[in-house]
Amino acid sequence: MEATGKDNEITVLTDIPTGSSCIISKVHGHGGFRHRIMEMGFIKGEKVDVIKNAPLMDPIEYSIMGSHVSLRRSEAEKIEVVALEEGFHPDFDFSGTIEDHVAREVENSARTITVALVGNPNCGKTSFFNFATGLREKVGNYSGVTVSSKVGTFYHKGYTINLVDLPGTYSLTEYSPEELYVRDYLLNHNPDLVLNIVDAGNLERNMYLTTQLIDMNPRLVMALNMYDELERSGDKLDIESLEKMLGFPIVPVVARTGQGVEDVLEEIVHIYCDEEGYTKHIHINYGENVEDCIASVKKIIDEDQSLKDRYHGRYLALELIQGDKVLTKSISKVAGFSEIKAAADAGRARLEKEYRGDIADVISDIRYGFIRGALKETLTPAKEDKRKLAYALDTVLTNRYLGFPILIIFLWIMFQATFTLGAYPQDWLEAGIGALGRWVGSILPEGMLNDLLVDGIISGVGGVLVFLPNILILFVFISFLEDTGYMARAAFIMDKLMHRIGLHGKSFIPYIIGFGCGVPAIMATRTLENPKDRILTILTIPFMSCSARLPVYLLFVAAFFAHHQGLVLLSLYAVGIFFAILTSFILNKTIFKNASDQFVMELPPYRFPTVRNILTHMWDKSVLYLKKMGTVILAASVIIWALGYFPRPKTEMTKAEQNEYSYIGRIGHAIEPVVKPLGFDWRMGVSLFTGLAAKEVVVSSLGVLYESQDIETEEDTAGLEAKLQSLTDENGNTFYTPLRAYTFLLFILLYFPCIAAISAIAKEAGRKWAAFSVVYTTCLAWVVSFLFWHIGSLL
């Protein structure tokens, strides 16, 4: 199975200019539309000539099978074609009378299947995607990991399958960004087939989404994931009977091991080829009153051909009766809209009077009744519910009194292990980089190239690279906690505190993701339904100590807090969380005065993560880190070295004097009045300035600046840590004290997020909030560092 991440370029009938010809390769759209359009002769292999556009460019007249047919653009966009060269108009016979290369294009297009992956959070959808495509997307055991679609392309028995991993969602309503995103994709992007991934251990809740898909009427296959857990629980499911009830194939799958994935792909091909007997469309019976209302609204919808072509009429009628505002707005410009809306509104009022409640709630109850009825016929529960054991740990881990201390202990162990276990490979890397610098320096003659390679590149990039083992260890711990399901418990534990400061309990998950990187954390806020919750969370995520800050932390903590490394590192993360909470509280009491939504979040069963997943996550992070070494940090190191190397002095100077005489020294002295009240010197100011690009650059900046200083150490080859410890001021006193070091770390923690994070904030919340984040965080960092330095100096 070969995989790639690229989409194939698609040509549709509206792309063909007047006077040109094409060959039909595929017809998209729901069942009713496809059958109507195919009855008119638009089938695979038929040649179509574009005759002319109407005066207003819609509809378009085509010639097919000797007849002239007009199609609206909205209809023609659903017909995939292969263009023919100008003047080339042979009669087409798919058996081979057309030129071979055109036939191959048609056949290749016809053998390309777009499959939309749809399922609840935690159902294993992304695990299936990973195994099938060979790509390595992040898999987390909590909701909201996938917040935008990903496409993987692979090949199966002569077919090209584009697998689209859509956001995890519990429903297809209009109440959250991921729900709207998935529904919009299914309605407007014409996937050939929907693969519904369902957690076999939680059928009743997962199948609610299935009932909505049935109403929408795409071609469906269900992958019954984590089937091994259902078998271990002792439950028995009659899959064959359930298939007959639902009208589409159901395949047992264990996505994390790949069991059943090939069987799913076989079913996808069978259904795509319209093989008889594989599917049948069923209607969920909503009762006589609701069905009469659906029928009356559908009758009016079917009078408008554009609506009939775009939507399954029954589905649209059902959603309008429930008062769906987004779909109502989307059809507001059709000619018969007022009549459709009036019928839907009248039907809703009548039904709500009859049922004495909100009709959407009534529909939901009926859907769950359908699910319970189907499962009563097909699912035989075990005498003993073994699944309760999966939640037994919650009696301790989410205990009212023990939950929070256990969370703190877990985090402390994680940070302490980052130092303890990472110290050995870090020392090896540091020694290797030092040896590389000495070797390069010895084989090259003294001069600019020698200085660039040794003092600029090796010292700058190497100073950050040595922290790679520590970062990988941190990500192993985070991946383990995510995949086991404990991160969802962390959100549960923190909810009460989060709610008191005006944040949703779900906000804690983006915070945890922010420990890795602020950009995906900011994107993960899309799972928050309330826009105010999203903006509050986005603005406070930069206070989470991302992995880019970790090299700075590790450098100074190891150098000046040798006896309490884990505790000091944990304190920095805690300070960041504290200021996130404080900022949220202040904003919630001023700019955002409305209360947050109530907390609703699934607590998935605990699962032991696979070594493959954890190692995959670690490898992915290491690749990203190394790419950053070879791009942003390399470029920054060279620029900083150049600014420190030029202009060359006309008279003999020491290294320290040359550094101050250089451009970097002049920039540093210009910055110094701003940072001096915080206890920082000009070199620290320069490193903070360069850290705007990426926080790791702070370390490489210090590496370049102090590499060219006259610092006496026990060994000439000592690393940056030893040089910081040995640095003295003009009076001969030790310059870096624990107080100055911690003040510097506080500023690193709180000030200006990196450029990538600011761009993400601008994209998700708007430029106004991105500008606010820049100004607010930098001012807060200065005030906090100023107070800490001066109060600490007094004490």
Side-chain angles (χ1 to χ4, degrees):
M1 189 183 295
E2 187 181 347
T4 177
K6 297 181 180 178
D7 285 315
N8 297 322
E9 187 123 359
I10 293 174
T11 302
V12 294
L13 192 51
T14 51
D15 296 329
I16 307 301
T18 300
S20 299
S21 302
C22 58
I23 304 296
I24 297 172
S25 59
K26 188 187 297 184
V27 179
H28 294 284
H30 64 80
F33 168 79
R34 291 180 73 249
H35 286 117
R36 181 179 71 83
I37 214 78
M38 291 171 75
E39 285 170 359
M40 296 168 67
F42 289 88
I43 59 175
K44 186 181 90 169
E46 282 300 326
K47 176 173 165 288
V48 181
D49 299 316
V50 184
I51 306 301
K52 64 177 179 288
N53 285 263
L56 297 178
M57 304 303 291
D58 201 10
I60 306 172
E61 182 182 345
Y62 298 100
S63 173
I64 185 168
M65 290 188 175
S67 300
H68 283 223
V69 179
S70 68
L71 294 180
R72 293 184 181 90
R73 284 187 172 272
S74 61
E75 300 169 328
E77 284 173 350
K78 291 183 168 62
I79 300 174
E80 198 172 316
V81 299
V82 174
L84 296 178
E85 294 178 8
E86 188 175 351
F88 185 65
H89 302 283
D91 293 330
F92 183 78
D93 172 23
F94 203 70
S95 63
T97 58
I98 196 172
E99 283 189 353
D100 290 341
H101 75 278
V102 177
R104 281 196 300 271
E105 276 195 71
V106 173
E107 185 62 18
N108 288 339
S109 178
R111 295 177 74 86
T112 298
I113 312 173
T114 300
V115 180
L117 274 179
V118 179
N120 285 195
N122 306 313
C123 69
K125 180 171 54 62
T126 304
S127 293
F128 184 96
F129 176 87
N130 291 348
F131 194 93
T133 64
L135 301 180
R136 295 189 298 272
E137 296 299 340
K138 184 71 180 74
V139 180
N141 196 14
Y142 53 87
S143 69
V145 172
T146 308
V147 291
S148 60
S149 62
K150 307 176 188 71
V151 181
T153 301
F154 62 98
Y155 306 97
H156 178 75
K157 294 190 175 178
Y159 286 86
T160 300
I161 299 179
N162 295 321
L163 203 57
V164 184
D165 184 18
L166 294 170
T169 180
Y170 295 107
S171 177
L172 294 177
T173 54
E174 58 179 347
Y175 301 115
S176 73
E178 67 267 26
E179 290 176 357
L180 283 172
Y181 186 98
V182 174
R183 188 174 74 175
D184 176 75
Y185 182 88
L186 296 179
L187 290 176
N188 299 317
H189 287 73
N190 305 316
D192 296 304
L193 188 138
V194 172
L195 177 57
N196 182 205
I197 309 288
V198 169
D199 180 356
N202 201 346
L203 285 171
E204 186 172 334
R205 209 280 316 287
N206 275 239
M207 284 179 63
Y208 183 82
L209 179 60
T210 306
T211 62
Q212 293 178 309
L213 291 171
I214 289 171
D215 286 332
M216 194 176 279
N217 193 31
R219 292 187 283 184
L220 270 170
V221 174
M222 178 186 287
L224 203 59
N225 193 27
M226 294 176 268
Y227 194 74
D228 55 336
E229 293 184 13
L230 182 140
E231 291 180 317
R232 283 198 298 270
S233 73
D235 292 354
K236 302 291 182 184
L237 181 66
D238 185 347
I239 294 177
E240 188 176 344
S241 296
L242 189 59
E243 282 181 328
K244 291 177 181 177
M245 287 183 186
L246 299 182
F248 49 79
I250 300 173
V251 184
V253 168
V254 183
R256 61 187 172 82
T257 64
Q259 179 184 330
V261 171
E262 289 287 331
D263 297 331
V264 171
L265 301 181
E266 285 294 311
E267 297 294 349
I268 286 172
V269 171
H270 288 316
I271 291 181
Y272 177 73
C273 295
D274 290 320
E275 294 187 17
E276 191 174 346
Y278 267 84
T279 61
K280 65 175 182 179
H281 179 64
I282 67 164
H283 284 169
I284 296 170
N285 192 318
Y286 290 103
E288 184 177 354
N289 293 338
V290 178
E291 290 294 333
D292 287 346
C293 188
I294 292 172
S296 64
V297 178
K298 181 179 180 294
K299 184 178 179 181
I300 304 172
I301 289 171
D302 288 346
E303 292 174 2
D304 189 301
Q305 194 62 53
S306 65
L307 286 180
K308 192 175 178 182
D309 291 340
R310 184 177 176 189
Y311 302 104
H312 182 52
R314 176 182 169 83
Y315 168 76
L316 181 58
L318 184 60
E319 293 304 305
L320 295 177
I321 290 167
Q322 294 179 83
D324 190 296
K325 294 177 182 177
V326 174
L327 277 178
T328 300
K329 184 178 179 181
S330 73
I331 67 165
S332 61
K333 296 192 178 169
V334 302
F337 171 71
S338 57
E339 189 180 355
I340 295 169
K341 187 175 186 301
D345 291 345
R348 186 185 321 113
R350 184 172 69 253
L351 290 171
E352 289 183 344
K353 184 177 180 181
E354 290 171 354
Y355 286 101
R356 297 181 181 181
D358 187 285
I359 189 59
D361 294 340
V362 173
I363 297 294
S364 295
D365 289 342
I366 294 171
R367 281 175 173 152
Y368 274 116
F370 170 82
I371 295 165
R372 283 190 286 270
L375 293 179
K376 188 174 181 180
E377 295 292 325
T378 58
L379 182 66
T380 306
K383 293 182 180 179
E384 179 186 357
D385 190 357
K386 296 180 181 179
R387 283 171 296 188
K388 290 181 179 178
L389 297 173
Y391 292 92
L393 286 172
D394 282 341
T395 57
V396 176
L397 295 181
T398 61
N399 182 275
R400 181 179 178 184
Y401 302 104
L402 298 177
F404 196 78
I406 289 173
L407 173 62
I408 297 297
I409 291 170
F410 278 165
L411 293 175
W412 176 82
I413 291 172
M414 178 170 70
F415 295 131
Q416 190 63 43
T418 299
F419 274 107
T420 307
L421 299 179
Y424 301 103
Q426 183 183 350
D427 289 343
W428 302 333
L429 267 176
E430 193 166 3
I433 290 167
L436 176 64
R438 292 193 303 275
W439 178 74
V440 171
S442 66
I443 64 171
L444 291 176
E446 290 189 8
M448 187 172 69
L449 180 60
N450 188 310
D451 289 345
L452 170 62
L453 291 176
V454 177
D455 296 343
I457 295 175
I458 295 175
S459 179
V461 177
V464 184
L465 186 61
V466 295
F467 298 106
L468 177 62
N470 308 81
I471 289 174
L472 294 183
I473 291 168
L474 178 66
F475 276 114
V476 166
F477 274 91
I478 291 177
S479 295
F480 181 82
L481 295 177
E482 287 175 345
D483 292 355
T484 56
Y486 183 72
M487 284 305 188
R489 271 72 184 180
F492 175 80
I493 293 165
M494 295 294 294
D495 174 57
K496 189 171 184 180
L497 175 60
M498 304 289 280
H499 191 68
R500 282 184 175 176
I501 62 171
L503 274 177
H504 198 292
K506 280 186 179 180
S507 298
F508 192 68
I509 296 300
Y511 282 178
I512 295 294
I513 297 173
F515 287 163
C517 179
V519 175
I522 290 164
M523 294 175 65
T525 60
R526 295 176 187 174
T527 60
L528 298 170
E529 293 85 355
N530 189 324
K532 292 183 178 179
D533 287 336
R534 286 193 68 212
I535 293 174
L536 274 173
T537 308
I538 285 170
L539 293 177
T540 50
I541 281 173
F543 294 117
M544 299 302 106
S545 294
C546 64
S547 60
R549 293 184 176 101
L550 192 57
V552 192
Y553 294 172
L554 295 174
L555 173 65
F556 282 88
V557 170
F560 304 105
F561 304 97
H563 300 297
H564 305 286
Q565 292 177 337
L567 192 60
V568 172
L569 187 59
L570 179 60
S571 74
L572 289 166
Y573 282 74
V575 169
I577 293 171
F578 169 78
F579 278 104
I581 290 170
L582 179 63
T583 299
S584 177
F585 182 81
I586 293 170
L587 292 176
N588 198 59
K589 295 297 182 182
T590 53
I591 301 174
F592 304 108
K593 293 183 180 178
N594 292 341
S596 175
D597 289 344
Q598 293 300 309
F599 176 75
V600 179
M601 186 172 183
E602 179 188 6
L603 292 180
Y606 289 99
R607 295 189 175 100
F608 198 83
T610 63
V611 174
R612 177 180 179 269
N613 266 348
I614 290 178
L615 292 179
T616 294
H617 301 161
M618 186 179 72
W619 170 249
D620 289 345
K621 297 300 179 185
S622 67
V623 169
L624 289 175
Y625 192 75
L626 290 171
K627 282 181 180 177
K628 211 170 185 179
M629 294 296 103
T631 54
V632 176
I633 293 167
L634 174 61
S637 298
V638 172
I639 291 169
I640 294 162
W641 171 85
L643 290 173
Y645 192 82
F646 298 104
R648 300 307 296 163
K650 296 179 180 178
T651 58
E652 194 71 26
M653 288 185 179
T654 64
K655 285 185 178 180
E657 290 171 340
Q658 159 61 20
N659 224 23
E660 297 203 32
Y661 174 76
S662 68
Y663 293 126
I664 199 79
R666 297 173 193 183
I667 294 171
H669 285 297
I671 297 173
E672 194 168 28
V674 179
V675 298
K676 193 169 184 178
L678 313 180
F680 304 163
D681 70 352
W682 67 268
R683 298 174 193 84
M684 298 168 78
V686 167
S687 66
L688 292 171
F689 179 75
T690 59
L692 301 181
K695 294 299 177 281
E696 299 102 328
V697 179
V698 172
V699 173
S700 60
S701 299
L702 292 173
V704 173
L705 290 169
Y706 289 129
E707 184 65 30
S708 55
Q709 296 299 295
D710 297 319
I711 303 172
E712 293 183 6
T713 58
E714 291 181 5
E715 299 179 35
D716 293 336
T717 60
L720 180 56
E721 178 185 324
K723 291 175 181 176
L724 293 177
Q725 292 169 333
S726 304
L727 187 68
T728 57
D729 60 21
E730 60 272 13
N731 299 319
N733 300 319
T734 300
F735 179 73
Y736 278 106
T737 61
L739 175 63
R740 180 174 272 117
Y742 200 86
T743 305
F744 187 65
L745 292 179
L746 280 178
F747 198 93
I748 293 290
L749 164 66
L750 298 174
Y751 89 118
F752 190 115
C754 70
I755 296 295
I758 289 297
S759 299
I761 294 173
K763 181 180 178 182
E764 298 295 325
R767 293 181 180 178
K768 177 182 73 172
W769 291 116
F772 173 84
S773 180
V774 170
V775 175
Y776 174 74
T777 55
T778 305
C779 291
L780 180 67
W782 196 95
V783 171
V784 171
S785 299
F786 177 86
L787 293 174
F788 187 83
W789 170 251
H790 287 282
I791 293 172
S793 298
L794 291 174
L795 295 176

